[in-house]
Amino acid sequence: DQLAPAACLSRVGARKGAPCKSRTATIAPSLARRQGKHVHYCTTTMRRTPNRDASPPGEHLPLVHGSSAKPAVARESLWYHSSFLIMAEAMGMGVLGIPHATAQIGWVWGLTACVAFGLVSTYSSLLLGRVKNDAFAQAESYADVALAAFGPAAARLTRASVLLTWQSILPFFLLACAESARTFAPWALLDTPTWLLLVALLLLPPLQLRTLHQVAWLSFASSVAIVAAISAIMAALLLQARDDAAPASPPSAGGRRHSVWLPSGAASLDSFGAVSAFVFAYQCHSVLLEIMREMREPRSFPAAARAAYGVMGLVYTCTCVLAYGAYGSEVAGYLPESMPPGHAKRLVGLLLALHTAVAYMVAAQPLHRSIHASLLAEPGGGARAALCWLCVSSGVLLLSIVLATAVPFFSDLQSLLGSLAGAPMMFGFPALFYLRACRAHGLALSWFDAAACHFLLYLLTPTLVVLGTLSSMRSIAHSWEVALAADAAAQAQPAYLR
């Protein structure tokens, strides 16, 4: 499908080339004027009309970037490739922080959040599929949809928000990969910044892959690695809990408390930070349009979304039940730290390092492509484009190292990203885009979709952004106080005791 010009064919047998008399929405007028024509969406039908003067397949109107046309992209991915990409992007290190989040809010609220956010994230991803397939077929990103639906100013603001979100997620994956490498090689007495630098150097060569399809099978290996790592963690934790159990002791003697509801003494505000950890565990919606961009048949996206989020929901629920059941309130914020030392822990570290490395690649790829297209007037192949891509990927890596060093607390960073970045991208933008698409294109809006979209847009998103961010910032400040106090106590000890 191409965007239809002002002269289009109506649905009901109008003569060829007759102007469309329906209400239309002009898309990117400044760009159209440079090409000497107007570009319209026909809003009387759900089907876009053909354009005889349109550019060849693979070439699109410049909805976001400043170049004359977007580079052609090979549509090679099938629905299961896209499912692997979704799982590699979302089912990452977030799963290793949700048992600790469950310990902060208890059995009922923890499992409810795990299941509920899985269902809501699936629904919002299906909304994006409808927006792409039924309204804005040429849209390849959130910014493209914002431009077609609201205009250039909204597109610039949306694009900036998405780029900031992508950049904020990358330090988390980099920190997780460094922690996993430390778990794999505990004998290497290196500090966190050094591990971050080593991981970045290893990531730089594979980051030169420039399409998501090129990393699709790496994504499959990454998904297998995270499932294997979680299985190994669960087995090790259950065995350790069984060995540590003292039959003669009362259940509360070991300090591994379990709470059915919110634990006693827990502040209500702090619970929003824990809930935000579940949001982050499912968050990858800002790249879903990028994934659909490379699908051979974008209308098969709902199958990919249902399969990916179904697997994630099952894995997350089992992880919460087994880890919190085994270790209770003592479960670590970074789950592998609860494992006893040994070969199993090192194997888990290796598997998680592989997974988080691929997750970083998948999350960084659209960010690199967006910056790369903004820097080059004619993005494409050649040595100049490859050198520009190298500079972009290196600069993003360096910035990620700096940000990961500033907040080196795994669970706190996960909660902050879930509330500040995950909630708008997961709930706010999909609901807003779908409501606008239905209004602009006359699509039928059911009472359920209307109620769900307004709930996501006006209640859930503001609540998580405001209260979740406040809770996460309080937790980060407390973690820095504890870390600085521990460092001061260590420095106060005599040298021979350190």
Side-chain angles (χ1 to χ4, degrees):
D1 290 339
Q2 300 291 338
L3 294 177
C8 66
L9 300 178
S10 68
R11 185 176 56 175
V12 213
R15 79 177 187 278
K16 191 186 236 183
C20 177
K21 298 181 180 179
S22 62
R23 179 173 56 89
T24 57
T26 302
I27 307 300
S30 61
L31 299 173
R33 280 196 296 270
R34 288 204 299 266
Q35 299 175 0
K37 58 186 178 182
H38 292 284
V39 183
H40 293 78
Y41 275 113
C42 178
T43 57
T44 55
T45 72
M46 291 177 56
R47 197 164 34 177
R48 216 89 71 247
T49 55
N51 180 5
R52 294 180 178 273
D53 298 327
S55 52
E59 299 292 328
H60 306 294
L61 288 174
L63 295 181
V64 175
H65 307 305
S67 58
S68 60
K70 289 186 180 181
V73 176
R75 296 181 179 272
E76 301 177 2
S77 298
L78 299 175
W79 71 268
Y80 52 86
H81 294 135
S82 300
S83 184
F84 296 155
L85 288 168
I86 294 172
M87 286 188 286
E89 170 68 12
M91 195 176 65
M93 303 306 287
V95 67
L96 302 181
I98 56 177
H100 179 71
T102 303
Q104 292 179 294
I105 57 179
W107 276 116
V108 173
W109 295 119
L111 294 181
T112 299
C114 188
V115 175
F117 283 119
L119 294 175
V120 175
S121 61
T122 304
Y123 174 73
S124 59
S125 67
L126 296 179
L127 289 181
L128 288 176
R130 296 181 201 171
V131 169
K132 164 77 172 177
N133 293 318
D134 296 338
F136 306 114
Q138 297 297 328
E140 299 176 354
S141 66
Y142 272 18
D144 285 357
V145 177
L147 176 60
F150 299 102
R156 288 191 292 269
L157 179 61
T158 302
R159 183 168 182 260
S161 301
V162 171
L163 293 180
L164 287 175
T165 298
W166 287 345
Q167 180 59 73
S168 66
I169 290 174
L170 294 181
F172 175 82
F173 286 131
L174 198 63
L175 177 63
C177 193
E179 293 290 341
S180 302
R182 190 204 303 271
T183 302
F184 173 68
W187 41 266
L189 303 178
L190 302 176
D191 56 7
T192 298
T194 305
W195 275 115
L196 290 170
L197 183 60
L198 289 176
V199 168
L201 291 175
L202 292 175
L203 275 174
L204 189 58
L207 281 174
Q208 305 317 302
L209 299 174
R210 292 167 59 181
T211 67
L212 288 171
H213 182 75
Q214 290 174 327
V215 298
W217 289 110
L218 282 176
S219 301
F220 172 73
S222 171
S223 301
V224 172
I226 188 64
V227 172
I230 293 171
S231 301
I233 291 172
M234 294 300 100
L237 291 181
L238 290 175
L239 290 174
Q240 179 69 13
R242 186 193 64 182
D243 294 341
D244 290 348
S249 302
S252 60
R256 296 175 182 173
R257 300 179 302 275
H258 296 81
S259 301
V260 177
W261 300 96
L262 197 66
S264 59
S268 299
L269 179 61
D270 294 338
S271 63
F272 285 95
V275 169
S276 298
F278 291 96
V279 175
F280 179 82
Y282 287 105
Q283 204 296 104
C284 71
H285 290 58
S286 57
V287 299
L288 291 184
L289 289 173
E290 301 276 346
I291 291 175
M292 281 187 270
R293 171 181 185 254
E294 298 186 9
M295 292 185 69
R296 188 177 300 174
E297 179 47 66
R299 289 194 175 274
S300 64
F301 173 77
R306 292 189 183 99
Y309 283 104
V311 172
M312 283 190 282
L314 178 62
V315 172
Y316 291 176
T317 304
C318 292
T319 302
C320 289
V321 170
L322 294 177
Y324 184 50
Y327 270 74
S329 58
E330 292 186 351
V331 66
Y334 177 62
L335 190 55
E337 293 180 356
S338 298
M339 297 179 65
H343 295 298
K345 187 173 183 176
R346 295 185 60 190
L347 174 62
V348 166
L350 178 62
L351 292 172
L352 293 179
L354 169 63
H355 174 78
T356 50
V358 176
Y360 183 97
M361 293 169 59
V362 173
Q365 215 276 341
L367 175 62
H368 294 166
R369 182 170 59 242
S370 180
I371 300 175
H372 183 263
S374 300
L375 294 176
L376 289 183
E378 296 181 359
R384 183 167 176 266
L387 179 60
C388 181
W389 189 278
L390 176 63
C391 294
V392 169
S393 57
S394 301
V396 171
L397 263 177
L398 182 60
L399 181 58
S400 299
I401 292 174
V402 173
L403 295 176
T405 305
V407 188
F409 311 112
F410 182 86
S411 58
D412 294 336
L413 183 57
Q414 177 178 345
S415 298
L416 178 63
L417 292 176
S419 57
L420 194 58
M425 295 297 159
M426 249 179 90
F427 309 132
F429 279 106
L432 177 64
F433 290 157
Y434 186 67
L435 290 174
R436 182 65 176 180
C438 290
R439 180 179 178 183
H441 290 266
L443 305 180
L445 181 64
S446 68
W447 68 267
F448 176 82
D449 289 331
C453 288
H454 283 85
F455 170 76
L456 295 179
L457 183 60
Y458 296 114
L459 182 60
L460 187 59
T461 299
T463 300
L464 289 175
V465 168
V466 175
L467 298 181
T469 301
L470 288 176
S471 174
S472 301
M473 294 301 294
R474 285 181 52 179
S475 182
I476 291 173
H478 176 71
S479 297
W480 271 118
E481 291 177 2
V482 172
L484 293 176
D487 290 342
Q491 293 296 328
Q493 289 183 339
Y496 66 89
L497 292 178
R498 294 179 189 170

